Amino acid sequence: RSYALNTGDFKIDFDEPTFKTHKCDMPPLSTTTNRTELLAFYTEMQRIRRMEVESDKLYKNKLIRGFLHLYNGQEAVATGLEHNMTPEDSTITAYRDHAFMVTRRCGSDPKHVLAELCGRKDGVSAGKGGSMHMYNIPKNFYGGNGIVGAQVPLGTGLAFAQKYNKTKNVTFCYFGDGAANQGQVFEAFNMAKLWKLPIIYVCENNKYAMGTSAERSSSNTEYYTRGDYVPGLQVDGMDVLKVKEVGKYAMDYALNHGPILLEMKTYRYMGHSMSDPGTSYRTRAEIQKMREQYDPIAKVKKYLLDNNAAEEKELKAIDKEIKKEMDAAVKFAKASAEPPAEALYQGVYQEDVPIRGIELSNSYSP
């Protein structure tokens, strides 16, 4: 027997305590959603997950070289926060950046992301940035930064420009729990608070930084309180609806009052990078428990099915279509050519100037 799908809006009440607050009011403890929004979340998060799975394979087949930091398990953070943003708002993050490129807001094609990971000229950074340096300047996505914590003062600068130019936009600046002890982070907090900059700092707390638990590295593991004079919120970063709702709250707060700090309690299924098996500082049982009980994609699926907003076969069709899309993206990345040798000299300076090589014969002239 088939039933008519629920195509209208419906309310989701969050379990208490959903949020922890520091010097700010409690965000709404419920949200309104619908079939269209949830299907969009499901599709986007599955696209991110599948792209990262294919990235893992490409790396193991030695088609991706160097560093590679995967986002498996953290999809709800990028998807939920980017959902409320416009192309005129700004995003800056660390080196776990692939997911942000294919969110609804950035809208980059996964085939160009995979091509970049493989160092090919059809990549989003023309094959010269790789995993840690991806950008989409028309959509105000500023990377992709390889130095731990360095994006925090840069993001603060983006917010300063927004306030200076009176654009009525915000900046989302992401960093991990491992970067939370960096001195430059606190310097940036201080400047942002002094000038009441429209910035949302987002600490993606996936518990283990590079491989050291938060409890062993931080005397205060309540990262949402770390701004001291900057208000903060702790959020379940494994639930995209909670992330969406707190993102909306934070954007409004930042535009009217200045900086706010969000701590996203999330989890990475993979190691810190591909050189890290991810099991020397945590058990396989812990990882399996997180996958089975807290997976962010499974949570969206449950919202859809429990509220009769989608059928199982419909979601399987989406999964199948995304696999097909990623198979084509991998094929495209493999077929893309490597950048020509002269590309080494391009994009170094704003103006096209001569560059002397180690050997005079290898020099570049415009």
Side-chain angles (χ1 to χ4, degrees), residues 185-201:
V185 172
F186 297 96
E187 293 176 41
F189 287 171
N190 183 54
M191 294 171 73
K193 183 64 175 179
L194 277 173
W195 298 334
K196 293 184 170 54
L197 301 183
I199 186 166
I200 299 101
Y201 295 107

Side-chain angles (χ1 to χ4, degrees), residues 149-196:
Q151 72 278 10
V152 180
L154 292 176
T156 305
L158 291 172
F160 176 80
Q162 289 167 332
K163 182 158 188 175
Y164 184 86
N165 292 317
K166 298 180 173 63
T167 63
K168 299 298 182 183
N169 295 110
V170 301
T171 293
F172 276 83
C173 179
Y174 296 78
F175 61 97
D177 53 295
N181 296 322
Q182 288 269 322
Q184 59 190 326
V185 172
F186 297 96
E187 293 176 41
F189 287 171
N190 183 54
M191 294 171 73
K193 183 64 175 179
L194 277 173
W195 298 334
K196 293 184 170 54

Side-chain angles (χ1 to χ4, degrees), residues 8-285:
D9 291 346
F10 51 89
K11 182 182 176 185
I12 299 290
D13 292 314
F14 299 143
D15 298 330
E16 290 194 68
T18 291
F19 308 112
K20 289 184 179 180
T21 64
H22 171 69
K23 297 187 177 180
C24 65
D25 295 332
M26 184 73 71
L29 294 175
S30 64
T31 190
T32 299
T33 188
N34 53 53
R35 164 184 162 83
T36 301
E37 181 178 78
L38 287 173
L39 283 176
F41 285 153
Y42 182 84
T43 302
E44 185 171 301
M45 292 164 69
Q46 280 286 34
R47 180 175 287 112
I48 292 169
R49 177 76 57 87
R50 192 71 204 182
M51 182 179 72
E52 297 293 63
V53 167
E54 295 301 332
S55 300
D56 178 82
K57 292 178 186 176
L58 288 166
Y59 191 95
K60 289 172 179 173
N61 287 324
K62 299 183 178 181
L63 288 167
I64 296 175
R65 300 285 186 162
F67 292 102
L68 181 67
H69 306 84
L70 301 177
Y71 207 66
N72 311 47
Q74 298 181 215
E75 296 90 351
V77 178
T79 300
L81 291 181
E82 296 276 301
H83 178 75
N84 296 300
M85 297 174 70
T86 70
E88 289 73 38
D89 295 316
S90 296
T91 299
I92 190 167
T93 188
Y95 35 75
R96 205 177 300 277
D97 59 346
H98 320 146
F100 295 90
M101 293 299 296
V102 296
T103 59
R104 175 194 64 83
R105 193 183 78 86
C106 266
S108 298
D109 194 312
K111 70 182 183 182
H112 294 296
V113 175
L114 292 180
E116 184 60 40
L117 290 172
C118 293
R120 308 305 173 92
K121 70 179 184 66
D122 291 315
V124 292
S125 298
K128 296 164 70 175
S131 171
M132 298 193 287
H133 302 287
M134 296 186 179
Y135 309 92
N136 188 331
I137 300 307
K139 298 292 181 68
N140 291 299
F141 176 67
Y142 293 93
N145 291 268
I147 305 300
V148 174
Q151 72 278 10
V152 180
L154 292 176
T156 305
L158 291 172
F160 176 80
Q162 289 167 332
K163 182 158 188 175
Y164 184 86
N165 292 317
K166 298 180 173 63
T167 63
K168 299 298 182 183
N169 295 110
V170 301
T171 293
F172 276 83
C173 179
Y174 296 78
F175 61 97
D177 53 295
N181 296 322
Q182 288 269 322
Q184 59 190 326
V185 172
F186 297 96
E187 293 176 41
F189 287 171
N190 183 54
M191 294 171 73
K193 183 64 175 179
L194 277 173
W195 298 334
K196 293 184 170 54
L197 301 183
I199 186 166
I200 299 101
Y201 295 107
V202 183
C203 177
E204 293 188 89
N205 178 10
N206 57 25
K207 296 183 67 173
Y208 293 104
M210 287 183 65
T212 303
S213 68
E215 289 74 19
R216 291 181 60 210
S217 65
S218 300
S219 58
N220 176 10
T221 58
E222 301 288 287
Y223 293 103
Y224 69 102
T225 68
R226 289 286 203 92
D228 187 13
Y229 36 76
V230 175
L233 285 160
Q234 188 184 83
V235 190
D236 176 5
M238 304 297 275
D239 188 321
V240 72
L241 290 184
K242 294 175 183 176
V243 174
K244 177 199 79 167
E245 199 59 43
V246 84
K248 190 189 307 178
Y249 174 94
M251 288 179 71
D252 180 70
Y253 186 95
L255 280 171
N256 291 288
H257 306 290
I260 187 168
L261 172 59
L262 305 181
E263 178 193 351
M264 294 288 162
K265 298 277 283 185
T266 185
Y267 197 84
R268 55 171 169 80
Y269 297 152
M270 314 299 284
H272 170 71
S273 68
M274 292 300 290
S275 61
D276 169 25
T279 53
S280 60
Y281 47 84
R282 58 184 181 176
T283 64
R284 294 184 186 277

